[in-house]
Amino acid sequence: MKILVTGGAGFIGSAVIRHLLAATDHHVVNVDKLTYAADLRSLGTPEASGRYSFEQIDICDAPAIRAAFERHAPDAIMHLAAESHVDRSIDGPGEFVRTNILGTYVLLDAALAYWRGLEPERASAFRFHHISTDEVFGELDATGLFTEETPYDPSSPYSASKASSDHLVRAWHRTYKLPTVVSNCSNNYGPYQFPEKLIPLTILNCLAGKPLPVYGTGTNVRDWLFVEDHATALVRVLTEGKVGESYNIGGNSERTNIAVVETICRTMDRLHPRAGGAPHAELITFVRDRPGHDFRYAIDASKIKRELGFEPSVDFDTGLERTVAWYLANEDWWRPLVERQYGGERLGLSGVRETAKK
Ligand code: NAD
Ligand code: DAU
């Protein structure tokens, strides 16, 4: 297949493209605007495969997107391009509405026109795979799991924009019969993650001897999936998923945030001890909570296991050790980002009144 991947210079998109080029024969067209979160270095040397091309396009640019469909004639779309950071969505929701909702609409519109022009065999094999998040389901209390039937109840501007885009994708299937499939995944971690997210931020702050900010009491729970396992799952959903369906993807690895940060601290104590030998955990600092902070996410991943045979291959402790080791060995990747793009300052509190806190 020729697969048009949007957001292929981001954290998950780059893992998907690395996987497609290394483990399959598919051709890849990477469509990415190259926002602050993008880094083409995360792809290595994809041109060497002879099966890769890159288009710097904003997915909201309808003529450019239509032209890309015409030029490349893809067999499938994997749509990952998005604004992805919850805290930034609190500071500036407009860009999330634009890219995540309008951008998805522009892609659907172009895909539909293109799909209608395909001859029947290619049209029935065509897929539009929308990559989404478990955050669309809102928050859980201490028990329960998100299934594919859980009603949508998003809390943040980010998750509301992703929920909107999921609804648009479903509507384009139900109304126009575009062959779509949706997947909703839990928190990813691993190499090449932009250092605004909890795990890379904690690792790099440990290295810099800076405070490790833990929001609220640190008891919020997330489910963690190694990014390379997510890439494998996504290709499975694209190639074997049933049209019109959605699939939850998870890591079976629920952890409180404080447990995640403490595990990183212990790993750093072993792999990169502080001068004088003081434990990294001394740097843990509880800070003001994220407004609208969802308490717990947890995934019932039985459908993708039962129907598509996918299970994570990397457990959380192994994946976290690999991730810490990767950041220790790849300063040349993260140093320019920390110096030029984002230095670790607190995000997500601007414009929120004290009384609006949860
Ligand atoms: P990311 O922020 O690392 O990368 C996003 C990529 O999209 C970047 O390369 C960026 O340049 C590109 N992009 C942004 N706006 C664009 C636009 N208007 N036009 C074209 N390209 C644009 O994100 P990520 O963490 O890799 O997430 C990828 C997708 O997976 C997102 O849709 C996200 O909602 C979803 N997701 C992420 C996680 C997670 O834990 N990171 C979990 C579940 C689902
Ligand atoms: O659940 C899937 C989602 O996971 C994806 O859809 C999002 O794109 C992705 O960013 C991620 O969202 P989270 O908000 O869960 O990830 P983040 O790394 O920002 O935060 C993880 C948890 O850690 C969350 O409960 C907030 C907390 N946190 C985060 C940061 C950045 C802290 O305690 N301190 C921090 O400094």
Side-chain angles (χ1 to χ4, degrees), residues 319-345:
L320 196 63
E321 172 110 8
R322 272 167 68 176
T323 304
V324 172
W326 186 87
Y327 279 89
L328 290 175
N330 287 280
E331 181 168 351
D332 57 339
W333 183 83
W334 55 260
R335 177 69 65 193
L337 305 180
V338 169
E339 282 174 2
R340 287 183 223 136
Q341 307 276 18
Y342 172 65
E345 61 278 8

Side-chain angles (χ1 to χ4, degrees), residues 148-260:
E148 286 78 2
E149 277 71 49
T150 302
Y152 277 33
D153 187 20
S155 303
S156 70
Y158 163 71
S159 53
S161 70
K162 292 297 290 187
S164 306
S165 59
D166 290 13
H167 290 322
L168 289 174
V169 172
R170 264 187 210 103
W172 258 242
H173 173 63
R174 289 186 196 163
T175 307
Y176 306 112
K177 307 294 174 230
L178 185 71
T180 64
V181 63
V182 175
S183 55
N184 296 87
C185 188
S186 59
N187 285 57
N188 284 217
Y189 69 101
Y192 303 106
Q193 187 168 31
F194 191 82
E196 64 196 353
K197 307 281 165 50
L198 177 68
I199 288 181
L201 181 76
T202 302
I203 297 169
L204 298 190
N205 281 5
C206 279
L207 270 174
K210 292 190 344 198
L212 311 178
V214 174
Y215 297 172
T217 57
T219 49
N220 298 62
V221 174
R222 297 291 182 266
D223 169 59
W224 294 95
L225 178 67
F226 194 61
V227 67
E228 291 168 16
D229 274 335
H230 190 198
T232 305
L234 290 177
V235 174
R236 194 79 57 87
V237 169
L238 175 77
T239 54
E240 295 174 35
K242 233 173 102 191
V243 167
E245 295 281 314
S246 72
Y247 297 87
N248 283 357
I249 309 174
N252 304 320
S253 292
E254 281 182 55
R255 297 285 187 284
T256 61
N257 292 335
I258 188 67
V260 169

Side-chain angles (χ1 to χ4, degrees), residues 10-12 32-33 35 58-59 80 84 99 132 158 162 188:
F11 168 51
I12 302 173
D32 198 300
K33 178 184 174 182
T35 69
D58 181 338
I59 57 165
L80 296 99
S84 70
T99 284
S132 191
Y158 163 71
K162 292 297 290 187
N188 284 217

Side-chain angles (χ1 to χ4, degrees), residues 17-307:
I17 293 179
R18 292 194 306 271
H19 174 69
L20 285 170
L21 295 179
T24 78
D25 293 328
H26 300 309
H27 290 245
V28 172
V29 182
N30 179 9
V31 169
D32 198 300
K33 178 184 174 182
L34 301 184
T35 69
Y36 80 94
D39 198 329
L40 288 170
R41 294 175 306 155
S42 308
L43 291 160
T45 52
E47 295 83 6
S49 69
R51 292 182 281 125
Y52 171 84
S53 55
F54 173 64
E55 298 271 7
Q56 184 170 2
I57 298 176
D58 181 338
I59 57 165
C60 300
D61 181 345
I65 288 292
R66 280 198 300 270
F69 273 87
E70 292 311 317
R71 203 160 42 248
H72 294 285
D75 301 295
I77 313 300
M78 297 179 83
H79 173 36
L80 296 99
E83 288 294 332
S84 70
H85 192 40
V86 173
D87 292 332
R88 287 184 197 267
S89 82
I90 297 167
D91 293 332
E95 204 51 33
F96 287 70
V97 170
R98 201 186 79 89
T99 284
N100 299 0
I101 307 178
L102 181 62
T104 300
Y105 158 70
V106 166
L107 268 182
L108 285 166
D109 199 44
L112 181 62
Y114 166 78
W115 173 71
R116 284 175 166 161
L118 292 177
E119 42 95 3
E121 205 177 316
R122 282 195 76 201
S124 73
F126 183 81
R127 293 289 180 274
F128 186 108
H129 178 184
H130 178 58
I131 284 75
S132 191
T133 170
D134 61 357
E135 298 200 9
V136 297
F137 301 121
E139 67 176 353
L140 295 164
D141 57 21
T143 59
L145 300 169
F146 296 136
T147 73
E148 286 78 2
E149 277 71 49
T150 302
Y152 277 33
D153 187 20
S155 303
S156 70
Y158 163 71
S159 53
S161 70
K162 292 297 290 187
S164 306
S165 59
D166 290 13
H167 290 322
L168 289 174
V169 172
R170 264 187 210 103
W172 258 242
H173 173 63
R174 289 186 196 163
T175 307
Y176 306 112
K177 307 294 174 230
L178 185 71
T180 64
V181 63
V182 175
S183 55
N184 296 87
C185 188
S186 59
N187 285 57
N188 284 217
Y189 69 101
Y192 303 106
Q193 187 168 31
F194 191 82
E196 64 196 353
K197 307 281 165 50
L198 177 68
I199 288 181
L201 181 76
T202 302
I203 297 169
L204 298 190
N205 281 5
C206 279
L207 270 174
K210 292 190 344 198
L212 311 178
V214 174
Y215 297 172
T217 57
T219 49
N220 298 62
V221 174
R222 297 291 182 266
D223 169 59
W224 294 95
L225 178 67
F226 194 61
V227 67
E228 291 168 16
D229 274 335
H230 190 198
T232 305
L234 290 177
V235 174
R236 194 79 57 87
V237 169
L238 175 77
T239 54
E240 295 174 35
K242 233 173 102 191
V243 167
E245 295 281 314
S246 72
Y247 297 87
N248 283 357
I249 309 174
N252 304 320
S253 292
E254 281 182 55
R255 297 285 187 284
T256 61
N257 292 335
I258 188 67
V260 169
V261 171
E262 284 171 351
T263 308
I264 294 171
C265 288
R266 283 194 298 275
T267 311
M268 287 294 293
D269 290 344
R270 270 191 297 112
L271 301 185
H272 198 273
R274 293 173 80 192
H280 286 90
E282 276 183 0
L283 299 169
I284 293 173
T285 309
F286 292 93
V287 297
R288 188 176 158 187
D289 208 353
R290 171 185 281 174
H293 196 178
D294 285 333
F295 175 63
R296 176 171 165 262
Y297 303 142
I299 292 272
D300 175 347
S302 57
K303 179 177 175 183
I304 192 169
K305 182 177 173 189
R306 191 175 59 248
E307 296 188 11

